[in-house]
Amino acid sequence: MTTLPLDPARLRALFPAFSEPSLAGQAFFENAGGSYTAQPVLDRLDTYYRANKLQPYGAYPASIAAGEAMDLAFERMAAALNVSADWIHFGPSSSANTYVLGHAFSGWLKPGDAIVVTNQDHEANTGAWRRLAQHGIEVREWAVDARTGQLSLEALDRLLDAKVRLVAMPHCSNIVGDINPVAEIASRTRTLGAVLAVDGVSYAPHGLPDLAALGADIYFFSAYKTYGPHQGVMAVRPELAAQLPNQGHFFNDIKPRYRLTPAGPDHAQIAASAGIVDYLEAVADIAGPSVEGANPFRRAHAAMRAQEVSLSTPLLDYLRNRNDIQLIGPSDPLRRAPTIALRHSEPGLALAKRLATHGVMAGGGHFYAWRLLEALGIDPNHGVLRLSFVHYTTPEEIQQLIAALDAEL
Ligand SMILES: Cc1ncc(COP(=O)(O)O)c(C=O)c1O
């Protein structure tokens, strides 16, 4: 019997990793690096490799079925994000997607235009944009508070004016965990006629957002952190995508889905991504009627967040009472994702190795948030200890983690 909105046993039955003998007893606290893969994703991948592993969108039945399996993933992903299918692009990774977007913007923005980037982001959503300085674009940095690592709207407002054509920011940092007010920022960029590009990689594993409500023009995340295959998913407002210069082969300029993914997509993994959406529907089912929401995706999101808040509370309480460890970001579980980074006198990776002796799989390092660590006065090579979990983590695993922290830190 559990008071959690989601029954962990039913959730975990949908992940083969939880019945893998080599992982038994290992509490998984490195989900922000990549989550376990849900069974519906593996099923779709398996089907594609067995029955449809050939050129899609062709003339014969197996090829037509392959194309249909891919199209279904675009449609299902769009439905889960509450946008139309022409918003969706699948690329090799989020880093590859922003690299291509950055290149597209270099041909779209004009010298003298300004962009705003943060030093809270993973490098994928800041370095690719900062390179635009080479094209005469003015790059303004929205800097975090050096004490808390948080971004403030007041600091953003000081940077916004009519020259700003793009704001790039994280929905949630992979270190600070603070959930940034994207909808409020979208209303500011809309007023300016600027583009808002949001890195959702650290947010999406905790529930896919309703993009219509959020109002961003670009929202991307990594499917391998949302229970799926190793792909980057990118939603781009179709009117914006149409204006950006084509990054694909010249003869594909007329095909919107080919213009921003020059690497050529991995067909099987695109098809398998529909399994992420199947999984979210299963989560809504497990949540049952007591969790409210307009559709299964909103209900899954609400249930996952409520589950994580319950799981985070004892850990954040424990950390708050340890004045020898500094929690980075908010200690209120409602304000943050359960991606919890700790500053300590010992290097993050050394601490993670010690936790591993207690069957706790955690991460240590800078996690490509190099600029953020420097802003916080932490040597990136020293790094932080990062404890990241999601809705399928159990209260017993949280206790296992606390016991390990007690023993080792
Ligand atoms: C917040 C954040 N953004 C972007 C990325 C880059 O994602 P990918 O590995 O798909 O390039 C990561 C990866 O860890 C991340 O944590």
Side-chain angles (χ1 to χ4, degrees), residues 32-34 91-98 120-125 170-175 199-203 220-225 230-233 339 367-369 386:
S93 66
S94 292
S95 304
N97 284 343
T98 53
Q120 194 189 55
D121 273 281
H122 179 286
E123 193 59 19
N125 196 37
H171 196 168
C172 167
S173 134
N174 63 342
I175 300 282
D199 178 343
V201 176
S202 270
Y203 184 88
F220 61 87
F221 59 94
S222 305
Y224 69 95
K225 303 189 200 243
H230 204 113
Q231 287 274 282
V233 182
T339 301
F367 304 101
Y368 289 18
R386 191 175 70 176

Side-chain angles (χ1 to χ4, degrees), residues 289-377:
S290 62
V291 176
E292 289 179 14
N295 59 44
F297 309 115
R298 294 303 96 228
R299 294 179 50 242
H301 181 268
M304 287 157 90
R305 282 295 296 145
Q307 187 92 347
E308 292 175 351
V309 167
S310 293
L311 291 166
S312 303
T313 301
L315 178 60
L316 291 169
D317 285 349
Y318 168 80
L319 293 170
R320 215 180 287 113
N321 290 325
R322 286 281 309 258
N323 44 23
D324 53 335
I325 309 171
Q326 192 203 333
L327 164 71
I328 301 173
S331 60
D332 175 357
L334 288 167
R335 273 213 61 170
R336 65 172 303 140
T339 301
I340 295 171
L342 306 177
R343 179 208 290 255
H344 195 269
S345 53
E346 254 188 84
L349 190 57
L351 293 171
K353 283 182 181 161
R354 296 228 308 267
L355 294 182
T357 65
H358 296 259
V360 169
M361 301 190 282
H366 57 72
F367 304 101
Y368 289 18
W370 187 281
R371 297 173 202 270
L372 172 67
L373 262 63
E374 284 192 328
L376 290 169

